[in-house]
Amino acid sequence: MVHLSEPEKLPPKDYRQRIEKLAEQISDPVRKLKFLHQALADYSLDRSTDATDRKSTEPETKGEGEPLLRKSRKNGPPGRQGKTNGFPLSVTSKSRRYLLYLLGGVGIVVCGLAMLIFLSNGSIRSKKTDQAETRPDTEPYHYIIPMVTATHPPEPILSESVPEKRTEEKPPFPEYLDTVIWMIEKTTESEYYSNRLRIYTAQTTDNTPRRYYRTPINADGVSEPGPETEKVVGILFHAAESDIYEFKPEMTQSIKEYSRLLIRYIRKKKAYHYFIDRFGQVYRLVREDHAANHAGNAIWMDSEAVYLDLNNAFIGICFEGKDFENIDREKVKVNGNGARIIPMARSSINEAQLRSGKELTDWLRVKYHIPQHNCVPHCLVSVNPYDLLIGHHLDLSYEFPFDMFGLSNKYEERIPAITEFGFSCNNYFVEVMKGRLWPGIIRSEEYLRQRADQQKIPLKDYRRLLNTRFTRLFKWQKEVKNSEAP
């Protein structure tokens, strides 16, 4: 039967705490370990050795731990009667050796861990350095060019309808095209292009040379009118909204004759630069470097400027056809704002016209570097400048095939007449559209509300400030035109 010896007792708690506190003052880990080792070794001396002998035989400690160790021995722990340095007198030599081995093992483990941490830190630093050396000087980034409006920071919905920013280095053709477009044949009657576009030119007439004042945008919003220019910056799509014959074979001669008369009338009025008849034939009626009387009072805006003279700034393309039909006068409401026209169930503009319209649009965009943001239906720019209302003309008010033309849906984008000058729509407009307002109107009104909140003024007052801005610019533009008239 094996008799186990009584478990070895540790030094008194207050003494252990004093030793630990003294050890904390030693910064060198090796010397700290030697100090702890020596302190415990003193307690493990044989019980037969008296205090005097122990003092004469104790090893000398050098360095940072020596005065601390001697101070500890001098004071000693309290209550040492019958004990040597705080250990029981019954501790055996075997127990002492076991304790020393245990302490040495702990020291080895601590040193090993410290070495491992040191090596791993060096490896991590080396890896980070390698990554820093191989990283390029500049990283790719994406940015959005905001539409600057009024004097406020952009609101959250601004990025949903950002106008296209044009750079100095113009691409040779729009990005969505696969090849460059070029003229392959020109005669006295027509021009023929590589994208199948044929333009009949015999009806081309002069008007007044293209010339207008653009109104730049700066950090404070719409500024004063800038320098005069003759640059083409956009395309305005129109529908003739004229009477039409039913589009079927037996009506071919009537359709052709009506188109011929309509072309003669448009040419006389110098109303559009281009006209596309119901068979998809394209006619140039006003030369491109001259203005045409197609836009009336209109407002549009891109990332660079606000345009109030779209007759000169934009090229007008007119499709023969209509989107609205008249209502019998008897059905019009006697009181209220009863609408006299309603949208047709389906637009009369056919596939041949749309295909030719896209080919013409592609060529003009290539020739004049026109951004897609500035290709817009007439309905979205036409205004009544005296009543400050949008939708004065409503041609192409719905279902224009923007996707087919490679354009963003302008019905969903904010309307500059509202956001920049505080225009609105009346009940008559709502009735004509049968309550189906363009999503851009709703977004524009929300935009104004946010701006008014940022200014901390009522929406009505903020709209009035914008109206005043437009009235000033519109009056200035009229005075300039009158002064330049012959």
Side-chain angles (χ1 to χ4, degrees):
M1 186 173 183
V2 180
H3 294 277
L4 299 177
S5 61
E6 186 176 348
E8 186 177 70
K9 295 183 180 179
L10 295 174
K13 183 177 181 180
D14 59 344
Y15 188 71
R16 294 199 311 270
Q17 292 176 347
R18 185 180 299 116
I19 292 299
E20 292 173 358
K21 184 178 297 186
L22 293 173
E24 290 176 357
Q25 302 179 29
I26 303 174
S27 59
D28 188 350
V30 177
R31 291 180 179 177
K32 182 183 295 188
L33 187 61
K34 286 181 63 179
F35 170 73
L36 292 173
H37 184 97
Q38 185 65 50
L40 292 177
D42 287 345
Y43 280 104
S44 62
L45 293 177
D46 190 80
R47 62 183 179 178
S48 61
T49 306
D50 57 20
T52 306
D53 294 338
R54 288 196 304 273
K55 184 175 181 181
S56 63
T57 60
E58 67 181 4
E60 290 294 331
T61 59
K62 297 180 181 181
E64 193 173 351
E66 180 178 2
L68 301 175
L69 184 60
R70 289 179 178 175
K71 183 179 180 180
S72 173
R73 291 174 187 151
K74 180 180 179 181
N75 295 333
R80 293 183 56 185
Q81 290 81 1
K83 300 180 182 180
T84 304
N85 285 347
F87 274 90
L89 296 179
S90 61
V91 176
T92 63
S93 299
K94 185 176 181 179
S95 298
R96 291 195 301 270
R97 286 196 301 274
Y98 174 78
L99 182 60
L100 292 175
Y101 292 155
L102 180 62
L103 215 62
V106 171
I108 293 172
V109 172
V110 171
C111 292
L113 290 175
M115 183 64 68
L116 182 61
I117 292 173
F118 175 78
L119 293 176
S120 63
N121 284 341
S123 175
I124 292 173
R125 285 194 299 270
S126 176
K127 185 176 181 180
K128 289 183 177 180
T129 303
D130 294 341
Q131 291 176 349
E133 291 176 354
T134 58
R135 188 177 61 184
D137 294 335
T138 59
E139 298 180 355
Y141 64 95
H142 302 278
Y143 62 92
I144 295 178
I145 304 170
M147 181 188 292
V148 182
T149 305
T151 59
H152 321 287
E155 95 297 17
I157 63 174
L158 196 59
S159 60
E160 298 176 12
S161 62
V162 176
E164 183 177 340
K165 178 69 174 179
R166 288 172 291 150
T167 59
E168 291 300 324
E169 297 182 2
K170 305 292 192 305
F173 52 90
E175 293 181 358
Y176 64 87
L177 296 179
D178 295 329
T179 58
V180 178
I181 301 173
W182 71 96
M183 182 189 297
I184 61 177
E185 182 181 86
K186 181 176 182 179
T187 68
T188 57
E189 299 290 329
S190 66
E191 297 172 357
Y192 188 53
Y193 294 87
S194 61
N195 67 337
R196 202 200 68 93
L197 170 65
R198 184 180 293 277
I199 302 175
Y200 293 96
T201 59
Q203 304 279 358
T204 305
T205 186
D206 295 340
N207 195 13
T208 57
R210 185 184 296 275
R211 190 176 62 179
Y212 66 97
Y213 293 90
R214 63 198 302 269
T215 304
I217 302 171
N218 54 33
D220 297 326
V222 178
S223 65
E224 296 295 330
E228 191 177 48
T229 180
E230 56 186 27
K231 183 178 181 180
V232 175
V233 296
I235 299 173
L236 209 56
F237 301 107
H238 303 261
E241 292 298 331
S242 55
D243 294 333
I244 57 175
Y245 288 98
E246 190 175 357
F247 197 69
K248 54 186 181 180
E250 57 268 29
M251 302 300 295
T252 299
Q253 292 303 318
S254 297
I255 294 172
K256 290 176 62 177
E257 179 61 19
Y258 191 84
S259 295
R260 185 185 67 83
L261 295 174
L262 186 57
I263 288 173
R264 188 173 69 178
Y265 175 81
I266 292 173
R267 183 176 183 274
K268 180 180 178 181
K269 295 293 185 181
K270 303 179 181 180
Y272 307 102
H273 292 92
Y274 288 96
F275 178 80
I276 304 176
D277 71 10
R278 301 185 69 194
F279 298 108
Q281 299 179 109
V282 180
Y283 298 87
R284 182 183 293 144
L285 301 182
V286 176
R287 52 189 290 183
E288 292 175 3
D289 60 338
H290 283 204
N293 305 319
H294 63 101
N297 294 303
I299 300 171
W300 192 246
M301 171 185 181
D302 59 21
S303 60
E304 297 180 356
V306 170
Y307 305 98
L308 302 182
D309 186 1
L310 273 61
N311 285 338
N312 282 275
F314 282 50
I315 287 179
I317 299 176
C318 180
F319 296 93
E320 182 180 3
K322 60 189 305 183
D323 294 327
F324 290 86
E325 57 185 352
N326 297 326
I327 305 176
D328 294 339
R329 291 185 177 274
E330 297 178 357
K331 297 181 180 179
V332 177
K333 296 179 182 178
V334 176
N335 51 3
N337 296 314
R340 294 177 176 82
I341 57 174
I342 59 173
M344 296 174 60
R346 182 177 180 179
S347 173
S348 65
I349 301 174
N350 59 46
E351 183 178 353
Q353 291 177 286
L354 293 176
R355 185 165 61 247
S356 296
K358 180 186 183 304
E359 293 165 358
L360 177 58
T361 299
D362 290 344
W363 162 237
L364 292 173
R365 289 188 62 189
V366 167
K367 185 175 182 180
Y368 295 105
H369 306 287
I370 298 173
Q372 71 85 20
H373 177 76
N374 286 355
C375 300
V376 57
H378 187 210
C379 62
L380 296 175
V381 305
S382 179
V383 298
N384 182 328
Y386 305 102
D387 295 332
L388 302 174
L389 297 173
I390 65 171
H392 186 63
H393 291 279
L394 293 174
D395 43 326
L396 303 179
S397 287
Y398 61 97
E399 295 182 358
F400 186 85
F402 293 105
D403 289 341
M404 176 183 177
F405 281 65
L407 308 173
S408 62
N409 189 336
K410 300 303 185 296
Y411 299 138
E412 297 181 352
E413 297 183 10
R414 293 200 306 269
I415 300 174
I418 298 177
T419 60
E420 305 306 310
F421 300 115
F423 278 61
S424 59
C425 58
N426 58 8
N427 292 336
Y428 182 82
F429 174 84
V430 175
E431 289 189 26
V432 169
M433 298 296 292
K434 291 188 172 295
R436 297 181 299 173
L437 301 183
W438 307 312
I441 295 177
I442 309 302
R443 293 188 59 233
S444 299
E445 290 295 332
E446 177 60 26
Y447 185 91
L448 281 188
R449 281 192 289 271
Q450 293 185 26
R451 294 303 194 192
D453 291 343
Q454 291 173 1
Q455 288 278 17
K456 297 181 179 180
I457 61 176
L459 177 59
K460 180 185 294 186
D461 294 339
Y462 182 65
R463 192 186 296 272
R464 189 179 295 113
L465 289 175
L466 299 182
N467 292 162
T468 302
R469 172 195 293 173
F470 170 78
T471 301
R472 174 171 48 83
L473 289 173
F474 182 68
K475 181 180 179 181
W476 178 88
Q477 180 176 266
K478 287 186 62 177
E479 292 174 350
V480 170
K481 285 186 176 181
N482 293 334
S483 64
E484 294 177 351

